[in-house]
Amino acid sequence: ARAEPLSAQDPATADAVGAELTHCCRTDGSPVTLLCVTHRMSSIEEFDYIIVMSEGCMVEFGKRTELLENKGRYWAMCNSQSGLSVDAMGRATIGSDRLQKVWMFASSDLTDLVGATKLFGTRKFNDGDVLFEQGAPSFSMFLLVSGKVRETFKEHK
C-alpha cells in the first residue's frame, strides 16, 4: 500500500496544498470534479460531497454537514482525529494527550492534565452568538469541537 502524498506533511502544509489545488482547478469558474483519497478529515472539510469507504465499499455519501448530523462512520473518524469526542447526548470530552497538544498545556505533565480534562464542559452556540468580547473579563477557554468561529473586531476610540 502507498501512503497518500501529503501524509508526511504537517496539517497546515497539507491544507495549504489542498486549498491551492482546489483554487487552481477552478480558474475559469466552471465546475470541476476533484477526487481526493485521504485519511485526514480536515483536508476535505470544504468539499461539496464526501464518500466514505470501508473495506472497498461505500458506507456513506453526502455533504459534510449531513454526514456529521448522521453520526455515522465519518462523524466517528472526525472525532477520533480531533482528540475530542462527543457522546450521544452532545457532551464533548477531551483526552489528556490531546489537551497536551494545545500550546498552553504543552509543557504540562500528562498526569496533571488528567484532572484538568474534568474541568472542561460543553456549551452549544447558535450562529451569530458572541463567545467573548475584547477587553471583557473572561473565565472560560473554548476548544471548538465542531462548527466555525468568526472573529470580529471593533475599533477603540
Side-chain angles (χ1 to χ4, degrees), residues 59-105:
V59 293
E60 289 182 302
F61 170 79
K63 295 182 179 207
R64 181 175 192 273
T65 53
E66 296 168 343
L67 295 175
L68 291 173
E69 287 172 3
N70 292 342
K71 296 187 178 181
R73 181 76 55 96
Y74 180 79
W75 177 82
M77 290 188 300
C78 288
N79 279 336
S80 69
Q81 287 188 11
S82 70
L84 302 165
S85 51
V86 182
D87 66 18
M89 299 299 293
R91 293 179 301 247
T93 57
I94 185 169
S96 55
D97 55 336
R98 175 62 178 93
L99 190 57
Q100 193 175 43
K101 293 177 183 174
V102 176
W103 67 269
M104 67 176 57
F105 299 111

Side-chain angles (χ1 to χ4, degrees), residues 100 102-110 112-113:
Q100 193 175 43
V102 176
W103 67 269
M104 67 176 57
F105 299 111
S107 62
S108 300
D109 185 64
L110 275 176
D112 295 333
L113 293 178

Side-chain angles (χ1 to χ4, degrees), residues 20-84:
E20 186 63 29
L21 179 61
T22 302
H23 174 72
C24 289
C25 289
R26 296 179 187 237
T27 56
D28 66 353
S30 63
V32 170
T33 299
L34 178 63
L35 181 62
C36 176
V37 178
T38 184
H39 65 273
R40 188 176 286 159
M41 301 297 100
S42 63
S43 65
I44 59 173
E45 288 179 350
E46 300 298 323
F47 282 28
D48 296 329
Y49 291 94
I50 298 170
I51 300 171
V52 181
M53 305 286 292
S54 178
E55 299 181 25
C57 297
M58 182 177 75
V59 293
E60 289 182 302
F61 170 79
K63 295 182 179 207
R64 181 175 192 273
T65 53
E66 296 168 343
L67 295 175
L68 291 173
E69 287 172 3
N70 292 342
K71 296 187 178 181
R73 181 76 55 96
Y74 180 79
W75 177 82
M77 290 188 300
C78 288
N79 279 336
S80 69
Q81 287 188 11
S82 70
L84 302 165

